[in-house]
Amino acid sequence: ASQIFEAMMPWLRQQAPARLQLTPTATAEVPQTLTLATGARMPTVGFGTWKLEGTACYNAVRWALEEGIRHIDTAEAYGNEAEVGRALRDSGVPRHELF
């Protein structure tokens, strides 16, 4: 997977960040968590950290945690482990609350 990701990096760096406009709907009922085959409960709403770097990454993860997000999508291949880790640590959110 790492080799594929590295091969795609030149193309990925040329892509603009995605921007979504979310509109709440009165009829949508989204469960708070999903139960995985292992029995672990995963929050249905997560915050992705792909393409985030430096201070912007740190601030975005802190904001997500302050807003109650407990599912942080990160990967070694993103190259922002230090910023994500620092934001998690500095947030004060107990580790057992995070997915």
Side-chain angles (χ1 to χ4, degrees):
S2 179
Q3 291 173 336
I4 293 170
F5 192 80
E6 287 177 26
M8 292 178 59
M9 284 306 291
W11 177 82
L12 292 172
R13 285 193 178 102
Q14 295 175 12
Q15 304 309 305
R19 297 191 185 270
L20 300 174
Q21 179 65 34
L22 301 177
T23 305
T25 61
T27 59
E29 297 257 345
V30 178
Q32 294 290 318
T33 60
L34 299 172
T35 303
L36 304 178
T38 62
R41 297 189 59 83
M42 179 181 74
T44 54
V45 175
F47 182 76
T49 63
W50 180 48
K51 295 184 107 178
L52 291 177
E53 299 175 348
T55 302
C57 177
Y58 174 87
N59 290 338
V61 173
R62 284 294 306 267
W63 171 83
L65 294 167
E66 288 171 10
E67 293 302 314
I69 302 293
R70 294 299 182 259
H71 176 173
I72 306 297
D73 172 36
T74 187
E76 181 180 358
Y78 298 175
N80 56 14
E81 303 97 325
E83 294 86 354
V84 172
R86 218 168 39 259
L88 294 172
R89 180 196 64 208
D90 294 351
S91 74
V93 174
R95 175 63 183 98
H96 70 273
E97 290 184 17
L98 299 170
F99 186 90

